[in-house]
Amino acid sequence: MKRLKVLNIVGARPQIIKASAISRAITNDFADKFEEIIVHTGQHYDRELSDVFFDELEIRMPDFNLQVGSARHGRQTGMIMERIEDVMLSEKPDFVIIYGDTNSTIAAALAASKQHFPVVHIEAGMRSFNKQMPEELNRIVADHASTLLFAPTNTAFKNLMAEGFRPENTFPYSINNPRVILTGDIMYDNSLFYAELAEKKKKSFLTNVGIEEDNYVLVTIHRDMNTDDIQRLSNIFNTLIELSESGKTDMVMPLHPRTIIALKNNLPEIYKHIKESGHFRLIPPVSFLEMILLEKKAKMIVTDSGGVQKESHFFSKPCIVLRQETEWVELVKNGTVKLADADPGKIREAWDYFMNNTDVLQYPGFYGDGKAATAILNEMLIVFSH
Ligand code: UD1
Ligand code: UDP
């Protein structure tokens, strides 16, 4: 049988990490079934947001890099569409895989579906029900442009049902008759796979950063709702400064470049303070193995990231989320994620609760069996070899 040609589309940091689960499964178990072409939109381009993941996670370098770089939403999305359509028309894939909810996701979904290349959306059905988030618009459109939708959680699956997707659809599948399936989360596959490797390969990392196991809080902030709103950003940082200094708690912050730019430009006093404070370790974005190690050994995590809040669960760590809502609602229900928005009172309350109740928290398995990538590839084979 002829191999199915698949375009695996990445653009932003978390997509490169997600795609590694699929690439690894293709290489190990499906090399005779799929021909994989990796397309990088170039949305993320700094070494520590892009190349570091290709090197460390041993993914083949992209076959195409569209080099769109940073731009406003419309321009960035438009540039990706224009360039990725050319690749699609020359490569003529059997289908196109997209991940998550970034501008690269929506651009690839629109370009592919309009040229009638079937779209496969991995991490489908996530909803925050806040359409002011660019990601929420990206996810909704991506799902409705897809032929095959893989929901990572029960909630995601139910969200799709509520929007009219039907599990009883049968062959032949298409954008008008899509297949929706609950598979678990490929990021859980990745965390299991890389956690051991992280311990082996990054032995001296914590010492190099100047922190001790179980004695620091890991913080990441990058959402535009926080970085681009001076009031929210200063509430968050002032509260973290107060908490770390009053409790003498070290905080490690691998900050996204947009957060550094926002601090330098709009809150230079705070930036200076955290750079000079003995309790803060302000470091550039780290590799995935380093990140996993930081998550695994932390006392607590504070973040506005989708991926990091879920990894907090994989590594049984309480997590304060600096947003009003989350797509990973099962974590909030479980009591191990607390939504604190950018509200100093809520951040303090969640912090005190977690600092004093670590031992009673439970972390049940919400995200599948760690074999989601294999289930996903088997399903693609069934759907597209028909
Ligand atoms: C994007 C996604 C977001 C995802 C995040 C993962 C959208 C709308 N947002 O947000 O959903 O959570 O990626 O990290 O797609 N920059 C650099 N170097 C880079 C890339 C960006 O310095 O390699 C800076 C630029 O100043 C740029 C800013 O970061 O303007 C924002 O980058 P962009 O890709 O637009 O959005 P992210 O915040 O990274
Ligand atoms: N991550 C990383 N290094 C960092 C910060 C994050 O490897 O310095 C990983 C993190 O472990 C997770 C993913 O990047 O797997 C999350 O990306 P991000 O927070 O940028 O985006 P989101 O998940 O919110 O879309």
Side-chain angles (χ1 to χ4, degrees):
M1 197 187 82
K2 191 178 143 289
R3 289 192 301 168
L4 291 167
K5 190 187 246 194
V6 42
L7 294 194
N8 202 3
I9 314 284
V10 300
R13 159 172 71 190
Q15 296 172 320
I16 305 169
I17 302 172
K18 286 168 196 170
S20 76
I22 295 295
S23 277
R24 189 168 64 247
I26 292 181
T27 307
N28 292 343
D29 301 318
F30 292 86
D32 56 335
K33 305 283 192 305
F34 296 104
E35 178 192 355
E36 181 195 24
I37 313 268
I38 300 177
V39 182
H40 191 331
T41 65
Q43 178 173 348
H44 283 179
Y45 43 86
D46 283 346
R47 177 169 166 74
E48 62 262 30
L49 292 187
S50 178
D51 282 7
V52 70
F53 300 103
F54 286 91
D55 294 347
E56 187 179 70
L57 309 181
E58 292 176 22
I59 320 169
R60 223 178 57 243
M61 284 310 276
D63 299 282
F64 296 89
N65 189 323
L66 310 180
Q67 298 189 323
V68 297
S70 300
R72 289 193 310 267
H73 286 278
R75 187 174 162 74
Q76 186 178 57
T77 308
M79 277 197 297
I80 300 172
M81 284 181 70
E82 189 180 342
R83 295 179 192 182
I84 211 163
E85 184 182 59
D86 288 344
V87 175
M88 289 169 181
L89 290 174
S90 70
E91 289 297 321
K92 299 185 180 50
D94 291 298
F95 61 96
V96 172
I97 305 179
I98 55 171
Y99 300 87
D101 53 23
T102 71
N103 287 347
S104 297
T105 314
I106 192 180
L110 287 173
S113 56
K114 289 191 172 195
Q115 292 294 350
H116 302 169
F117 295 113
V119 175
V120 174
H121 191 196
I122 294 184
E123 215 179 73
M126 304 311 298
R127 296 290 181 270
S128 65
F129 300 99
N130 174 5
K131 287 186 187 159
Q132 285 186 336
M133 283 181 79
E135 290 83 0
E136 184 75 351
L137 298 171
N138 293 347
R139 297 176 187 122
I140 294 172
V141 175
D143 282 339
H144 288 265
S146 293
T147 289
L148 183 51
L149 295 89
F150 291 106
T153 61
N154 267 315
T155 308
F157 190 79
K158 284 186 196 148
N159 289 339
L160 292 170
M161 297 306 109
E163 286 176 22
F165 288 92
R166 291 284 156 253
E168 61 270 22
N169 286 357
T170 53
F171 281 110
Y173 296 108
S174 70
I175 189 169
N176 290 320
N177 182 46
R179 166 93 166 129
V180 187
I181 182 161
L182 173 66
T183 46
D185 190 338
I186 50 170
M187 282 309 292
Y188 184 48
D189 300 17
N190 269 341
S191 292
L192 292 179
F193 184 80
Y194 290 115
E196 231 175 279
L197 212 59
E199 295 262 5
K200 274 193 208 134
K201 284 200 166 175
K202 299 285 173 181
K203 274 199 182 94
S204 44
F205 183 68
L206 294 192
T207 317
N208 293 346
V209 175
I211 45 173
E212 283 170 8
E213 180 167 347
D214 205 32
N215 208 11
Y216 64 90
V217 172
L218 171 66
V219 183
T220 80
I221 296 164
H222 77 281
R223 293 263 162 215
D224 61 353
M225 68 179 73
N226 289 327
T227 58
D228 299 0
D229 181 326
I230 299 180
Q231 190 57 54
R232 287 180 66 95
L233 199 63
S234 73
N235 281 355
I236 291 169
F237 275 97
N238 281 325
T239 311
L240 293 179
I241 288 170
E242 176 204 312
L243 288 168
S244 79
E245 289 176 359
S246 64
K248 304 208 180 327
T249 310
D250 286 343
M251 294 215 183
V252 184
M253 296 190 168
L255 285 186
H256 188 292
R258 82 177 299 160
T259 317
I260 296 285
I261 295 168
L263 284 172
K264 274 188 185 161
N265 289 347
N266 302 325
L267 298 168
E269 288 301 314
I270 289 184
Y271 182 61
K272 186 164 178 282
H273 187 104
I274 55 176
K275 269 189 72 172
E276 289 169 4
S277 156
H279 287 299
F280 282 86
R281 307 283 182 280
L282 194 61
I283 57 175
V286 293
S287 77
F288 189 53
L289 292 184
E290 290 162 353
M291 190 63 181
I292 284 188
L293 202 69
L294 286 176
E295 290 168 341
K296 217 176 155 185
K297 307 290 184 188
K299 191 166 182 56
M300 192 198 303
I301 296 176
V302 179
T303 189
D304 59 10
S305 159
V308 175
Q309 65 183 279
K310 202 159 24 99
E311 287 158 11
S312 76
H313 190 80
F314 300 155
F315 298 115
S316 304
K317 304 294 169 176
C319 181
I320 301 176
V321 170
L322 303 168
R323 287 177 49 194
Q324 273 176 15
E325 72 282 302
T326 178
E327 303 75 37
W328 307 100
V329 288
E330 56 285 334
L331 300 178
V332 179
K333 227 170 154 186
N334 190 51
T336 41
V337 158
K338 291 201 179 285
L339 296 174
D341 201 5
D343 178 333
K346 287 186 183 165
I347 298 172
R348 275 188 220 110
E349 196 184 322
W351 176 281
D352 289 341
Y353 177 80
F354 284 147
M355 282 293 178
N356 296 310
N357 289 283
T358 326
D359 297 346
V360 302
L361 302 172
Q362 306 273 324
Y363 297 87
F366 295 127
Y367 299 102
D369 59 3
K371 296 183 181 122
T374 303
I376 285 172
L377 286 165
N378 274 323
E379 190 62 31
M380 290 174 186
L381 211 51
I382 297 170
V383 168
F384 295 114
S385 341
H386 232 68

Short mmCIF file of all heavy atoms in Angstrom, two decimals, residues 12-14 43-46 49 70-71 73 76 101-104 134-135 138 222-224 256-258 261, ligand 1:
data_model
loop_
_atom_site.label_atom_id
_atom_site.label_comp_id
_atom_site.label_asym_id
_atom_site.label_seq_id
_atom_site.Cartn_x
_atom_site.Cartn_y
_atom_site.Cartn_z
N ALA A 12 4.40 27.43 16.99
CA ALA A 12 4.75 27.95 18.31
C ALA A 12 5.32 26.82 19.18
O ALA A 12 5.05 25.64 18.93
CB ALA A 12 3.51 28.53 18.98
N ARG A 13 6.08 27.22 20.18
CA ARG A 13 6.77 26.26 21.08
C ARG A 13 5.95 25.02 21.45
O ARG A 13 6.41 23.89 21.23
CB ARG A 13 7.23 27.03 22.32
CG ARG A 13 7.51 26.20 23.54
CD ARG A 13 8.13 27.00 24.64
NE ARG A 13 7.25 27.94 25.28
CZ ARG A 13 7.62 28.88 26.15
NH1 ARG A 13 8.89 29.01 26.48
NH2 ARG A 13 6.75 29.69 26.70
N PRO A 14 4.74 25.20 22.02
CA PRO A 14 4.04 23.98 22.47
C PRO A 14 3.67 23.04 21.32
O PRO A 14 3.51 21.83 21.53
CB PRO A 14 2.78 24.52 23.16
CG PRO A 14 2.63 25.92 22.70
CD PRO A 14 4.00 26.42 22.37
N GLN A 43 6.33 31.06 13.23
CA GLN A 43 5.72 31.98 14.22
C GLN A 43 6.67 32.19 15.40
O GLN A 43 6.87 33.30 15.86
CB GLN A 43 4.37 31.42 14.70
CG GLN A 43 3.73 32.30 15.76
CD GLN A 43 2.31 31.89 16.14
OE1 GLN A 43 1.68 31.08 15.48
NE2 GLN A 43 1.81 32.47 17.21
N HIS A 44 7.24 31.12 15.92
CA HIS A 44 8.33 31.23 16.90
C HIS A 44 9.63 30.94 16.18
O HIS A 44 9.72 30.02 15.36
CB HIS A 44 8.12 30.27 18.07
CG HIS A 44 7.07 30.75 19.04
ND1 HIS A 44 6.69 30.05 20.14
CD2 HIS A 44 6.33 31.89 19.06
CE1 HIS A 44 5.75 30.72 20.81
NE2 HIS A 44 5.52 31.84 20.17
N TYR A 45 10.65 31.75 16.47
CA TYR A 45 11.90 31.67 15.70
C TYR A 45 13.13 31.78 16.58
O TYR A 45 14.22 31.35 16.19
CB TYR A 45 11.93 32.81 14.66
CG TYR A 45 11.46 34.12 15.26
CD1 TYR A 45 12.33 34.97 15.93
CD2 TYR A 45 10.11 34.48 15.22
CE1 TYR A 45 11.87 36.13 16.53
CE2 TYR A 45 9.66 35.63 15.81
CZ TYR A 45 10.54 36.46 16.47
OH TYR A 45 10.08 37.59 17.08
N ASP A 46 13.02 32.33 17.80
CA ASP A 46 14.20 32.37 18.68
C ASP A 46 14.63 30.94 18.97
O ASP A 46 13.78 30.06 19.11
CB ASP A 46 13.87 33.06 20.01
CG ASP A 46 13.81 34.57 19.86
OD1 ASP A 46 14.29 35.09 18.83
OD2 ASP A 46 13.29 35.23 20.78
N LEU A 49 12.82 29.17 21.71
CA LEU A 49 11.38 28.88 21.52
C LEU A 49 11.16 27.89 20.37
O LEU A 49 10.04 27.51 20.09
CB LEU A 49 10.61 30.16 21.22
CG LEU A 49 10.47 31.21 22.33
CD1 LEU A 49 9.52 32.32 21.90
CD2 LEU A 49 9.98 30.60 23.62
N SER A 70 7.19 37.47 13.78
CA SER A 70 6.15 38.10 14.60
C SER A 70 5.43 39.19 13.82
O SER A 70 6.05 39.90 13.03
CB SER A 70 6.78 38.74 15.84
OG SER A 70 7.44 37.77 16.61
N ALA A 71 4.14 39.32 14.06
CA ALA A 71 3.35 40.40 13.44
C ALA A 71 2.00 40.45 14.14
O ALA A 71 1.68 39.55 14.92
CB ALA A 71 3.15 40.14 11.95
N HIS A 73 -2.05 40.05 14.60
CA HIS A 73 -2.79 38.81 14.31
C HIS A 73 -3.13 38.63 12.83
O HIS A 73 -2.87 37.59 12.23
CB HIS A 73 -4.09 38.76 15.12
CG HIS A 73 -3.84 38.46 16.56
ND1 HIS A 73 -3.64 37.20 17.04
CD2 HIS A 73 -3.72 39.28 17.63
CE1 HIS A 73 -3.42 37.25 18.35
NE2 HIS A 73 -3.46 38.50 18.72
N GLN A 76 0.00 38.20 10.55
CA GLN A 76 0.70 36.93 10.78
C GLN A 76 -0.13 35.76 10.22
O GLN A 76 0.37 34.90 9.49
CB GLN A 76 0.93 36.73 12.28
CG GLN A 76 1.77 35.51 12.60
CD GLN A 76 2.02 35.37 14.08
OE1 GLN A 76 1.09 35.31 14.88
NE2 GLN A 76 3.29 35.35 14.46
N ASP A 101 -4.24 25.82 19.26
CA ASP A 101 -5.07 27.02 19.07
C ASP A 101 -4.31 28.29 18.72
O ASP A 101 -4.74 29.39 19.05
CB ASP A 101 -5.84 27.25 20.38
CG ASP A 101 -4.90 27.29 21.59
OD1 ASP A 101 -3.71 27.57 21.39
OD2 ASP A 101 -5.37 27.06 22.71
N THR A 102 -3.16 28.15 18.08
CA THR A 102 -2.40 29.37 17.79
C THR A 102 -2.78 29.94 16.41
O THR A 102 -3.57 29.34 15.68
CB THR A 102 -0.88 29.08 17.77
OG1 THR A 102 -0.61 28.32 16.59
CG2 THR A 102 -0.43 28.32 18.99
N ASN A 103 -2.15 31.06 16.08
CA ASN A 103 -2.39 31.62 14.74
C ASN A 103 -1.92 30.65 13.64
O ASN A 103 -2.51 30.61 12.55
CB ASN A 103 -1.68 32.97 14.59
CG ASN A 103 -2.39 34.05 15.40
OD1 ASN A 103 -3.53 33.86 15.85
ND2 ASN A 103 -1.73 35.18 15.59
N SER A 104 -0.90 29.87 13.93
CA SER A 104 -0.46 28.87 12.95
C SER A 104 -1.53 27.81 12.75
O SER A 104 -1.74 27.31 11.63
CB SER A 104 0.83 28.18 13.42
OG SER A 104 1.87 29.13 13.53
N PRO A 134 -7.62 35.36 21.71
CA PRO A 134 -7.40 34.99 20.30
C PRO A 134 -7.45 33.48 20.12
O PRO A 134 -7.94 32.97 19.11
CB PRO A 134 -6.00 35.53 19.98
CG PRO A 134 -5.37 35.89 21.29
CD PRO A 134 -6.48 36.12 22.27
N GLU A 135 -6.97 32.75 21.13
CA GLU A 135 -6.92 31.28 21.02
C GLU A 135 -8.31 30.67 20.91
O GLU A 135 -8.49 29.64 20.27
CB GLU A 135 -6.20 30.68 22.24
CG GLU A 135 -4.71 30.95 22.31
CD GLU A 135 -4.36 32.31 22.92
OE1 GLU A 135 -5.30 33.07 23.30
OE2 GLU A 135 -3.16 32.61 22.99
N ASN A 138 -9.41 30.89 17.41
CA ASN A 138 -8.60 29.95 16.62
C ASN A 138 -9.10 28.51 16.77
O ASN A 138 -9.19 27.76 15.80
CB ASN A 138 -7.12 30.03 17.04
CG ASN A 138 -6.49 31.37 16.69
OD1 ASN A 138 -7.05 32.15 15.93
ND2 ASN A 138 -5.33 31.65 17.25
N HIS A 222 2.90 34.38 29.96
CA HIS A 222 3.11 34.85 28.58
C HIS A 222 1.84 35.29 27.87
O HIS A 222 1.91 35.84 26.78
CB HIS A 222 3.78 33.75 27.74
CG HIS A 222 2.83 32.67 27.31
ND1 HIS A 222 2.43 31.65 28.13
CD2 HIS A 222 2.17 32.47 26.13
CE1 HIS A 222 1.59 30.86 27.49
NE2 HIS A 222 1.39 31.33 26.27
N ARG A 223 0.64 35.05 28.47
CA ARG A 223 -0.61 35.37 27.77
C ARG A 223 -0.74 36.86 27.53
O ARG A 223 -0.49 37.67 28.44
CB ARG A 223 -1.82 34.96 28.62
CG ARG A 223 -1.94 33.52 28.79
CD ARG A 223 -2.92 32.92 27.81
NE ARG A 223 -2.66 31.50 27.79
CZ ARG A 223 -2.75 30.71 26.74
NH1 ARG A 223 -3.13 31.21 25.59
NH2 ARG A 223 -2.50 29.45 26.82
N ASP A 224 -1.22 37.23 26.35
CA ASP A 224 -1.34 38.66 26.04
C ASP A 224 -2.24 39.37 27.05
O ASP A 224 -2.02 40.53 27.39
CB ASP A 224 -1.83 38.88 24.59
CG ASP A 224 -3.20 38.27 24.30
OD1 ASP A 224 -3.75 37.55 25.16
OD2 ASP A 224 -3.72 38.51 23.19
N HIS A 256 8.94 34.09 28.85
CA HIS A 256 8.74 34.26 27.41
C HIS A 256 9.24 35.66 27.03
O HIS A 256 9.07 36.62 27.80
CB HIS A 256 7.24 34.13 27.15
CG HIS A 256 6.82 34.08 25.71
ND1 HIS A 256 6.94 35.16 24.86
CD2 HIS A 256 6.23 33.10 24.99
CE1 HIS A 256 6.46 34.82 23.67
NE2 HIS A 256 6.02 33.57 23.72
N PRO A 257 9.83 35.82 25.84
CA PRO A 257 10.36 37.15 25.45
C PRO A 257 9.31 38.26 25.53
O PRO A 257 9.63 39.40 25.87
CB PRO A 257 10.85 36.95 24.02
CG PRO A 257 10.65 35.53 23.66
CD PRO A 257 10.15 34.77 24.84
N ARG A 258 8.03 37.95 25.23
CA ARG A 258 7.04 39.04 25.25
C ARG A 258 6.85 39.57 26.66
O ARG A 258 6.55 40.76 26.84
CB ARG A 258 5.71 38.61 24.61
CG ARG A 258 4.78 37.83 25.49
CD ARG A 258 3.47 37.51 24.78
NE ARG A 258 2.73 38.68 24.35
CZ ARG A 258 1.79 38.67 23.42
NH1 ARG A 258 1.49 37.55 22.79
NH2 ARG A 258 1.12 39.76 23.12
N ILE A 261 9.83 41.85 27.40
CA ILE A 261 9.66 43.13 26.68
C ILE A 261 8.66 44.00 27.44
O ILE A 261 8.90 45.20 27.67
CB ILE A 261 9.17 42.88 25.22
CG1 ILE A 261 10.24 42.15 24.41
CG2 ILE A 261 8.79 44.20 24.54
CD1 ILE A 261 9.76 41.60 23.05
C1 UD1 B 1 1.61 32.18 20.91
C2 UD1 B 1 0.15 31.74 20.84
C3 UD1 B 1 -0.31 31.30 22.21
C4 UD1 B 1 0.61 30.24 22.79
C5 UD1 B 1 2.05 30.71 22.74
C6 UD1 B 1 2.96 29.60 23.14
C7 UD1 B 1 -1.24 32.93 19.18
C8 UD1 B 1 -2.28 33.94 18.98
N1 UD1 B 1 -0.71 32.84 20.42
O1 UD1 B 1 1.67 33.28 21.79
O2 UD1 B 1 -1.62 30.74 22.11
O3 UD1 B 1 0.23 30.01 24.11
O4 UD1 B 1 2.40 31.11 21.39
O5 UD1 B 1 4.19 30.07 23.60
O6 UD1 B 1 -0.89 32.24 18.27
N2 UD1 B 1 8.62 36.66 20.22
C9 UD1 B 1 9.99 36.58 20.31
N3 UD1 B 1 10.61 35.49 19.75
C10 UD1 B 1 9.93 34.50 19.12
C11 UD1 B 1 8.53 34.60 19.02
C12 UD1 B 1 7.91 35.69 19.58
O7 UD1 B 1 10.66 37.43 20.86
O8 UD1 B 1 10.58 33.51 18.65
C13 UD1 B 1 7.97 37.84 20.82
C14 UD1 B 1 7.66 38.93 19.80
O9 UD1 B 1 7.81 40.15 20.46
C15 UD1 B 1 6.20 38.68 19.49
C16 UD1 B 1 5.67 38.19 20.83
O10 UD1 B 1 6.72 37.42 21.39
O11 UD1 B 1 5.56 39.84 19.04
C17 UD1 B 1 4.42 37.34 20.70
O12 UD1 B 1 4.64 36.23 19.84
P1 UD1 B 1 3.41 35.47 19.15
O13 UD1 B 1 3.88 34.26 18.44
O14 UD1 B 1 2.59 36.43 18.40
O15 UD1 B 1 2.51 35.06 20.39
P2 UD1 B 1 2.87 34.29 21.73
O16 UD1 B 1 2.64 35.19 22.88
O17 UD1 B 1 4.17 33.61 21.63
#
